PDB file of all heavy atoms in Angstrom:
ATOM      1  N   GLN A   5     -75.106 -36.707  35.249  1.00  0.00           N
ATOM      2  CA  GLN A   5     -74.456 -36.866  33.888  1.00  0.00           C
ATOM      3  C   GLN A   5     -73.288 -36.137  33.777  1.00  0.00           C
ATOM      4  O   GLN A   5     -72.229 -36.605  33.108  1.00  0.00           O
ATOM      5  CB  GLN A   5     -75.550 -36.506  32.815  1.00  0.00           C
ATOM      6  CG  GLN A   5     -76.646 -37.484  32.790  1.00  0.00           C
ATOM      7  CD  GLN A   5     -77.887 -37.058  31.919  1.00  0.00           C
ATOM      8  OE1 GLN A   5     -77.901 -35.849  31.568  1.00  0.00           O
ATOM      9  NE2 GLN A   5     -78.574 -38.020  31.363  1.00  0.00           N
ATOM     10  N   HIS A   6     -73.156 -34.899  34.221  1.00  0.00           N
ATOM     11  CA  HIS A   6     -71.959 -34.045  34.175  1.00  0.00           C
ATOM     12  C   HIS A   6     -70.792 -34.702  34.881  1.00  0.00           C
ATOM     13  O   HIS A   6     -69.663 -34.867  34.245  1.00  0.00           O
ATOM     14  CB  HIS A   6     -72.270 -32.614  34.725  1.00  0.00           C
ATOM     15  CG  HIS A   6     -71.076 -31.746  34.627  1.00  0.00           C
ATOM     16  ND1 HIS A   6     -70.751 -31.112  33.473  1.00  0.00           N
ATOM     17  CD2 HIS A   6     -70.205 -31.265  35.557  1.00  0.00           C
ATOM     18  CE1 HIS A   6     -69.701 -30.397  33.644  1.00  0.00           C
ATOM     19  NE2 HIS A   6     -69.382 -30.470  34.949  1.00  0.00           N
ATOM     20  N   ILE A   7     -71.026 -35.168  36.083  1.00  0.00           N
ATOM     21  CA  ILE A   7     -69.974 -35.890  36.897  1.00  0.00           C
ATOM     22  C   ILE A   7     -69.547 -37.169  36.195  1.00  0.00           C
ATOM     23  O   ILE A   7     -68.378 -37.480  36.102  1.00  0.00           O
ATOM     24  CB  ILE A   7     -70.411 -36.112  38.295  1.00  0.00           C
ATOM     25  CG1 ILE A   7     -70.541 -34.736  39.081  1.00  0.00           C
ATOM     26  CG2 ILE A   7     -69.416 -37.010  39.108  1.00  0.00           C
ATOM     27  CD1 ILE A   7     -71.115 -34.883  40.434  1.00  0.00           C
ATOM     28  N   ARG A   8     -70.536 -37.935  35.796  1.00  0.00           N
ATOM     29  CA  ARG A   8     -70.244 -39.172  35.040  1.00  0.00           C
ATOM     30  C   ARG A   8     -69.350 -38.989  33.816  1.00  0.00           C
ATOM     31  O   ARG A   8     -68.400 -39.653  33.540  1.00  0.00           O
ATOM     32  CB  ARG A   8     -71.547 -39.855  34.538  1.00  0.00           C
ATOM     33  CG  ARG A   8     -71.232 -41.229  33.877  1.00  0.00           C
ATOM     34  CD  ARG A   8     -72.609 -41.891  33.612  1.00  0.00           C
ATOM     35  NE  ARG A   8     -72.290 -43.103  32.862  1.00  0.00           N
ATOM     36  CZ  ARG A   8     -72.179 -43.303  31.553  1.00  0.00           C
ATOM     37  NH1 ARG A   8     -72.334 -42.206  30.792  1.00  0.00           N
ATOM     38  NH2 ARG A   8     -72.044 -44.424  31.075  1.00  0.00           N
ATOM     39  N   GLY A   9     -69.724 -37.938  33.084  1.00  0.00           N
ATOM     40  CA  GLY A   9     -68.854 -37.544  31.912  1.00  0.00           C
ATOM     41  C   GLY A   9     -67.383 -37.200  32.261  1.00  0.00           C
ATOM     42  O   GLY A   9     -66.468 -37.576  31.625  1.00  0.00           O
ATOM     43  N   HIS A  10     -67.202 -36.634  33.438  1.00  0.00           N
ATOM     44  CA  HIS A  10     -65.797 -36.339  33.867  1.00  0.00           C
ATOM     45  C   HIS A  10     -65.142 -37.632  34.388  1.00  0.00           C
ATOM     46  O   HIS A  10     -63.976 -37.803  34.102  1.00  0.00           O
ATOM     47  CB  HIS A  10     -65.788 -35.313  34.971  1.00  0.00           C
ATOM     48  CG  HIS A  10     -66.027 -33.918  34.499  1.00  0.00           C
ATOM     49  ND1 HIS A  10     -65.041 -33.210  33.796  1.00  0.00           N
ATOM     50  CD2 HIS A  10     -67.173 -33.155  34.591  1.00  0.00           C
ATOM     51  CE1 HIS A  10     -65.679 -32.088  33.434  1.00  0.00           C
ATOM     52  NE2 HIS A  10     -66.893 -31.946  33.975  1.00  0.00           N
ATOM     53  N   MET A  11     -65.881 -38.569  34.904  1.00  0.00           N
ATOM     54  CA  MET A  11     -65.329 -39.820  35.369  1.00  0.00           C
ATOM     55  C   MET A  11     -64.877 -40.640  34.124  1.00  0.00           C
ATOM     56  O   MET A  11     -63.900 -41.371  34.301  1.00  0.00           O
ATOM     57  CB  MET A  11     -66.297 -40.495  36.354  1.00  0.00           C
ATOM     58  CG  MET A  11     -66.477 -39.738  37.645  1.00  0.00           C
ATOM     59  SD  MET A  11     -67.723 -40.508  38.694  1.00  0.00           S
ATOM     60  CE  MET A  11     -66.750 -41.857  39.413  1.00  0.00           C
ATOM     61  N   LEU A  12     -65.615 -40.580  33.141  1.00  0.00           N
ATOM     62  CA  LEU A  12     -65.173 -41.383  31.953  1.00  0.00           C
ATOM     63  C   LEU A  12     -64.231 -40.710  30.970  1.00  0.00           C
ATOM     64  O   LEU A  12     -63.749 -41.271  30.108  1.00  0.00           O
ATOM     65  CB  LEU A  12     -66.597 -41.689  31.130  1.00  0.00           C
ATOM     66  CG  LEU A  12     -67.482 -42.580  31.885  1.00  0.00           C
ATOM     67  CD1 LEU A  12     -68.845 -42.724  31.039  1.00  0.00           C
ATOM     68  CD2 LEU A  12     -66.994 -43.868  32.284  1.00  0.00           C
ATOM     69  N   ALA A  13     -63.940 -39.489  31.270  1.00  0.00           N
ATOM     70  CA  ALA A  13     -63.057 -38.662  30.352  1.00  0.00           C
ATOM     71  C   ALA A  13     -61.630 -39.238  30.329  1.00  0.00           C
ATOM     72  O   ALA A  13     -60.853 -39.022  29.394  1.00  0.00           O
ATOM     73  CB  ALA A  13     -63.016 -37.151  30.789  1.00  0.00           C
ATOM     74  N   ASP A  14     -61.148 -39.904  31.440  1.00  0.00           N
ATOM     75  CA  ASP A  14     -59.836 -40.569  31.369  1.00  0.00           C
ATOM     76  C   ASP A  14     -59.601 -41.325  30.145  1.00  0.00           C
ATOM     77  O   ASP A  14     -58.441 -41.445  29.641  1.00  0.00           O
ATOM     78  CB  ASP A  14     -59.775 -41.530  32.630  1.00  0.00           C
ATOM     79  CG  ASP A  14     -58.960 -40.782  33.722  1.00  0.00           C
ATOM     80  OD1 ASP A  14     -58.402 -39.763  33.641  1.00  0.00           O
ATOM     81  OD2 ASP A  14     -58.955 -41.496  34.855  1.00  0.00           O
ATOM     82  N   LYS A  15     -60.607 -42.053  29.707  1.00  0.00           N
ATOM     83  CA  LYS A  15     -60.405 -42.974  28.551  1.00  0.00           C
ATOM     84  C   LYS A  15     -60.202 -42.198  27.281  1.00  0.00           C
ATOM     85  O   LYS A  15     -59.708 -42.771  26.316  1.00  0.00           O
ATOM     86  CB  LYS A  15     -61.636 -43.910  28.419  1.00  0.00           C
ATOM     87  CG  LYS A  15     -61.893 -44.723  29.638  1.00  0.00           C
ATOM     88  CD  LYS A  15     -63.011 -45.683  29.417  1.00  0.00           C
ATOM     89  CE  LYS A  15     -63.436 -46.406  30.594  1.00  0.00           C
ATOM     90  NZ  LYS A  15     -62.519 -46.981  31.530  1.00  0.00           N
ATOM     91  N   ASN A  16     -60.407 -40.928  27.223  1.00  0.00           N
ATOM     92  CA  ASN A  16     -60.248 -40.125  26.053  1.00  0.00           C
ATOM     93  C   ASN A  16     -59.157 -39.062  26.174  1.00  0.00           C
ATOM     94  O   ASN A  16     -59.061 -38.246  25.371  1.00  0.00           O
ATOM     95  CB  ASN A  16     -61.645 -39.390  25.764  1.00  0.00           C
ATOM     96  CG  ASN A  16     -62.817 -40.284  25.661  1.00  0.00           C
ATOM     97  OD1 ASN A  16     -62.579 -41.298  25.016  1.00  0.00           O
ATOM     98  ND2 ASN A  16     -63.898 -39.933  26.224  1.00  0.00           N
ATOM     99  N   MET A  17     -58.249 -39.151  27.083  1.00  0.00           N
ATOM    100  CA  MET A  17     -57.142 -38.252  27.277  1.00  0.00           C
ATOM    101  C   MET A  17     -56.201 -38.299  25.990  1.00  0.00           C
ATOM    102  O   MET A  17     -55.978 -39.416  25.483  1.00  0.00           O
ATOM    103  CB  MET A  17     -56.348 -38.566  28.530  1.00  0.00           C
ATOM    104  CG  MET A  17     -56.990 -38.119  29.753  1.00  0.00           C
ATOM    105  SD  MET A  17     -56.057 -38.276  31.212  1.00  0.00           S
ATOM    106  CE  MET A  17     -54.854 -37.122  30.927  1.00  0.00           C
ATOM    107  N   ASN A  18     -55.668 -37.270  25.660  1.00  0.00           N
ATOM    108  CA  ASN A  18     -54.749 -37.134  24.596  1.00  0.00           C
ATOM    109  C   ASN A  18     -53.350 -37.544  25.101  1.00  0.00           C
ATOM    110  O   ASN A  18     -52.768 -36.713  25.752  1.00  0.00           O
ATOM    111  CB  ASN A  18     -54.722 -35.778  24.026  1.00  0.00           C
ATOM    112  CG  ASN A  18     -53.925 -35.613  22.740  1.00  0.00           C
ATOM    113  OD1 ASN A  18     -53.076 -36.551  22.432  1.00  0.00           O
ATOM    114  ND2 ASN A  18     -53.968 -34.538  22.079  1.00  0.00           N
ATOM    115  N   ILE A  19     -52.910 -38.705  24.721  1.00  0.00           N
ATOM    116  CA  ILE A  19     -51.558 -39.180  25.216  1.00  0.00           C
ATOM    117  C   ILE A  19     -50.402 -38.357  24.645  1.00  0.00           C
ATOM    118  O   ILE A  19     -49.474 -38.202  25.311  1.00  0.00           O
ATOM    119  CB  ILE A  19     -51.450 -40.653  24.726  1.00  0.00           C
ATOM    120  CG1 ILE A  19     -52.509 -41.487  25.410  1.00  0.00           C
ATOM    121  CG2 ILE A  19     -50.023 -41.210  25.054  1.00  0.00           C
ATOM    122  CD1 ILE A  19     -52.568 -42.935  24.928  1.00  0.00           C
ATOM    123  N   ALA A  20     -50.647 -37.702  23.538  1.00  0.00           N
ATOM    124  CA  ALA A  20     -49.484 -36.932  22.957  1.00  0.00           C
ATOM    125  C   ALA A  20     -49.282 -35.706  23.820  1.00  0.00           C
ATOM    126  O   ALA A  20     -48.128 -35.179  23.876  1.00  0.00           O
ATOM    127  CB  ALA A  20     -49.960 -36.424  21.567  1.00  0.00           C
ATOM    128  N   THR A  21     -50.189 -35.110  24.561  1.00  0.00           N
ATOM    129  CA  THR A  21     -49.934 -33.942  25.393  1.00  0.00           C
ATOM    130  C   THR A  21     -49.658 -34.233  26.840  1.00  0.00           C
ATOM    131  O   THR A  21     -49.200 -33.393  27.568  1.00  0.00           O
ATOM    132  CB  THR A  21     -51.240 -33.052  25.366  1.00  0.00           C
ATOM    133  OG1 THR A  21     -52.284 -33.725  25.916  1.00  0.00           O
ATOM    134  CG2 THR A  21     -51.488 -32.534  24.031  1.00  0.00           C
ATOM    135  N   THR A  22     -49.810 -35.523  27.294  1.00  0.00           N
ATOM    136  CA  THR A  22     -49.527 -35.928  28.645  1.00  0.00           C
ATOM    137  C   THR A  22     -48.806 -37.232  28.733  1.00  0.00           C
ATOM    138  O   THR A  22     -49.236 -38.147  28.104  1.00  0.00           O
ATOM    139  CB  THR A  22     -50.862 -36.042  29.443  1.00  0.00           C
ATOM    140  OG1 THR A  22     -51.583 -34.861  29.234  1.00  0.00           O
ATOM    141  CG2 THR A  22     -50.574 -36.357  30.915  1.00  0.00           C
ATOM    142  N   LEU A  23     -47.652 -37.187  29.509  1.00  0.00           N
ATOM    143  CA  LEU A  23     -46.921 -38.448  29.662  1.00  0.00           C
ATOM    144  C   LEU A  23     -47.825 -39.409  30.526  1.00  0.00           C
ATOM    145  O   LEU A  23     -48.409 -38.940  31.494  1.00  0.00           O
ATOM    146  CB  LEU A  23     -45.623 -38.168  30.342  1.00  0.00           C
ATOM    147  CG  LEU A  23     -44.601 -37.431  29.590  1.00  0.00           C
ATOM    148  CD1 LEU A  23     -43.374 -37.141  30.410  1.00  0.00           C
ATOM    149  CD2 LEU A  23     -44.168 -38.238  28.336  1.00  0.00           C
ATOM    150  N   PRO A  24     -47.987 -40.655  30.108  1.00  0.00           N
ATOM    151  CA  PRO A  24     -48.843 -41.470  30.895  1.00  0.00           C
ATOM    152  C   PRO A  24     -48.292 -41.708  32.243  1.00  0.00           C
ATOM    153  O   PRO A  24     -47.051 -42.006  32.445  1.00  0.00           O
ATOM    154  CB  PRO A  24     -48.927 -42.702  30.047  1.00  0.00           C
ATOM    155  CG  PRO A  24     -47.809 -42.706  29.166  1.00  0.00           C
ATOM    156  CD  PRO A  24     -47.426 -41.311  29.028  1.00  0.00           C
TER     157      PRO A  24
END
Side-chain angles (χ1 to χ4, degrees):
Q5 289 172 337
H6 182 76
I7 291 172
R8 181 177 179 270
H10 286 288
M11 293 175 78
L12 296 177
D14 259 352
K15 299 181 188 321
N16 301 319
M17 284 185 71
N18 184 349
I19 296 173
T21 61
T22 305
L23 292 175

